[in-house]
Amino acid sequence: MNSLVLAVIGIAMVLTGYALYSKHLATRVYKLSPTAPTPAHEMADGVDYVPTNKYVLWGHHFTSVAGAAPIVGPAIAVIWGWLPAFLWVTIGTVFFAGMHDLGALWASVRNRGQSIGTLSGRYIGARGRNLFLVVVFLLLLMVNAAFAVVISGLLVSTPTSVIPVWGAIVVALLVGQAIYRGRLNLPAVSVIGVLALYGLILVGDRVPVVLPDSVLGLSPAAFWVLVLFLYAGVASLLPVWMLLQPRDYINGLQLFIGLGILYAAVAIASPSIVAPAVNTAVPEGTPSIVPLLFVTIACGAISGFHGMVSSGTSSKQLDRETDARFVGYFGAVGEGMLALGAIIAATAGYRTLADWEAVYSAFGQGGVAAFVEGGSTIVNTGLGIPPSLSATILATMAVLFAATTMDTGVRLQRFVVQEVADLVGRRVGKGVATLVVLVVGMGLAFGAGADGSGGMLIWPLFGTTNQLLAGLTLSIVAVILMRKRRPVLPVLVPLVFVLVMSVFAAVVQVGTFYSTGNWLLLGLDLVIIVAALWVVVEAGVAMSRARTGPVETDEDDRRVPAADTTER
């Protein structure tokens, strides 16, 4: 199979989905209105609620949702063959992820920017909200702790990425000042910012930063984990226009250019895919493709984390409600294209099937390393960019994706801490909530070992937890649509499919954890399953009531009390 054919078919599918299906969702299902007031204007505070240009906001949303997962998941899942991964990514992007992300963004905007956790209280009930928050908190803990490990690993294994990764923060701060303080022309600032980032990549390729074996008594990997948490904590407290927005926007442009480089190399080199379409000779111990494929590839097909970003930060910055189609659905399209690129890099970036099989010798192999290795080979062959620089470009792209997700993840987890505090009658400020998040995250990271890799301890639960959350988010969107007597089938079909596959996968994992004696993961998995199923039952009851209850109008959306918001 020629990788160029796969790339053309995949890109055509997701772009057609944006052109046609997202328009249907925007006009017939969610009925986006250009005149509907948005929380960014109604509750503008210059910190979290900031009306934002849709292209800048798309950059924030895209890079926040597209962390390392759309690279890791597909680059692992190709162990079952490239065809199942390709189909799940393309079909999932069009009919699952885009609809989910746009729906969560719309639901939050229509409810004064409330998080999906808070919305569960209004539309499902208090019990459902409390259990929902348990799932949300655990998922954010997994994302923040594990992504810190992924990023630190890349900074150690690819020292040429250190300068561009940290230099991107300085560029972002300057871009934020130029756009919001200097009121400078956005296209001009964008060009200068991107050139600065690629200039840093060239510098980094020539000046690799290799840490000594011990830094402040920590290994290089542990040191980077510590620095990443401290940075994310500070970033989560700054106004979104100062760092979060411009960093994500410039990164989004740079990352799209990086994808362009990869796809251009595929177009020129047209490497053959050496991996089988369907792998019938998987290594011993590889789990069944059903249901594991559908939780191994989460981001890139559908991801519950996206709902938290849509309702946590993006909804508070939406300038016009109609911008939600571009920000939410096209953000999912960008991630689908990244996942497709990961599939191609991990299957066409090797010379022979034997070389590929040597990498995929066991389930869980591949991931970011396969993406960087295979992708750099394709870029070198197609565009003639030296292998070291090719690897630096792709490694920097992967790190920046993961880092922007971690930035947003810490901010979102801070919102959850404040939300939980409200439930018990306490009011917690930003600083204290952020400190709680950092203590819990670093406690997990360093509690299981001095190298800071403890974040990977509960990572095996990420896929199932993430997909369960996606199903729960869709259940809330379905209740809202039913109350408004809107078409609900586009939500119900993905809702049922995702819930069945994720619960199935969670039950399979229970057996695995029990047989291996992993009691911590077994206990957490059971808690997640019980909480998710309970919310599903509550949601089912809420749907039944919604079908027979009074019709909810758009005016009812405006009556949501401001006190329920999680931002302070």
Side-chain angles (χ1 to χ4, degrees), residues 37 113 144 229 237 257 342 493 520:
N144 294 334
F229 267 109
L237 294 171
I257 292 172
V493 173
L520 173 62

Side-chain angles (χ1 to χ4, degrees), residues 390-448:
S390 299
T392 300
I393 292 172
L394 294 178
T396 301
M397 186 168 73
V399 171
L400 290 179
F401 267 125
T404 50
T405 298
M406 188 177 175
D407 286 1
T408 303
V410 170
R411 185 181 289 259
L412 291 174
Q413 197 170 18
R414 183 248 293 176
F415 296 165
V416 173
V417 171
Q418 292 178 282
E419 206 167 333
V420 172
D422 280 347
L423 294 179
V424 297
R426 301 284 184 179
R427 189 173 182 84
V428 176
K430 292 180 180 179
V432 174
T434 301
L435 182 62
V436 171
V437 171
L438 295 182
V439 168
V440 173
M442 287 192 288
L444 175 62
F446 290 97

Side-chain angles (χ1 to χ4, degrees), residues 157-492:
S157 64
T158 314
T160 53
S161 67
V162 173
I163 287 178
V165 165
W166 292 107
I169 297 173
V170 178
V171 173
L173 288 169
L174 294 176
V175 167
Q177 294 296 322
I179 293 175
Y180 287 99
R181 296 295 191 191
R183 305 291 180 182
L184 301 183
N185 180 269
L186 179 60
V189 173
S190 302
V191 171
I192 294 172
V194 169
L195 290 176
L197 279 180
Y198 274 93
L200 288 169
I201 289 176
L202 293 174
V203 172
D205 188 55
R206 292 180 175 273
V207 188
V209 177
V210 181
L211 296 181
D213 293 338
S214 178
V215 183
L216 301 178
L218 300 172
S219 67
F223 175 77
W224 285 130
V225 169
L226 178 63
V227 171
L228 285 163
F229 267 109
L230 294 178
Y231 156 74
V234 173
S236 74
L237 294 171
L238 295 176
V240 290
W241 65 265
M242 186 177 292
L243 178 58
L244 187 69
Q245 272 186 9
R247 173 172 163 80
D248 290 356
Y249 172 62
I250 289 297
N251 283 348
L253 294 178
Q254 187 271 142
L255 297 169
F256 234 61
I257 292 172
L259 279 178
I261 291 173
L262 177 60
Y263 281 116
V266 169
I268 295 172
S270 297
S272 296
I273 296 176
V274 300
V278 178
N279 189 10
T280 57
V282 295
E284 184 178 354
T286 301
S288 171
I289 187 172
V290 178
L292 267 296
L293 171 69
F294 303 102
V295 297
T296 301
I297 300 179
C299 298
I302 183 172
S303 165
F305 180 74
H306 293 200
M308 290 188 288
V309 175
S310 294
S311 66
T313 55
S314 299
S315 64
K316 298 170 179 61
Q317 302 168 58
L318 202 70
D319 185 28
R320 296 192 307 167
E321 188 175 86
T322 48
D323 292 346
R325 179 190 173 200
F326 181 76
V327 174
Y329 196 102
F330 197 67
V333 167
E335 188 177 61
M337 293 175 66
L338 173 61
L340 176 61
I343 291 171
I344 293 173
T347 57
Y350 298 91
R351 291 184 302 171
T352 65
L353 174 60
D355 291 337
W356 181 83
E357 288 177 336
V359 173
Y360 288 87
S361 57
F363 182 71
Q365 299 299 308
V368 175
F371 170 76
V372 173
E373 180 183 351
S376 62
T377 299
I378 295 173
V379 171
N380 173 245
T381 304
L383 301 179
I385 298 177
S388 174
L389 181 57
S390 299
T392 300
I393 292 172
L394 294 178
T396 301
M397 186 168 73
V399 171
L400 290 179
F401 267 125
T404 50
T405 298
M406 188 177 175
D407 286 1
T408 303
V410 170
R411 185 181 289 259
L412 291 174
Q413 197 170 18
R414 183 248 293 176
F415 296 165
V416 173
V417 171
Q418 292 178 282
E419 206 167 333
V420 172
D422 280 347
L423 294 179
V424 297
R426 301 284 184 179
R427 189 173 182 84
V428 176
K430 292 180 180 179
V432 174
T434 301
L435 182 62
V436 171
V437 171
L438 295 182
V439 168
V440 173
M442 287 192 288
L444 175 62
F446 290 97
D451 61 351
S453 63
M456 303 306 294
L457 188 65
I458 61 175
W459 183 251
L461 292 172
F462 171 77
T464 52
T465 307
N466 193 38
Q467 299 304 67
L468 281 170
L469 183 59
L472 300 181
T473 299
L474 290 178
S475 69
I476 294 172
V477 175
V479 171
I480 297 175
L481 291 175
M482 286 180 177
R483 284 190 178 189
K484 294 178 178 295
R485 303 298 190 269
R486 303 271 183 87
V488 75
L489 199 60
V491 176
L492 284 182

Side-chain angles (χ1 to χ4, degrees), residues 97-121:
M99 176 275 301
H100 168 276
D101 296 9
L102 173 56
L105 182 55
W106 165 77
S108 180
V109 168
R110 283 300 178 98
N111 287 271
R112 300 178 67 88
Q114 291 180 342
S115 72
I116 203 69
T118 301
L119 292 181
S120 64

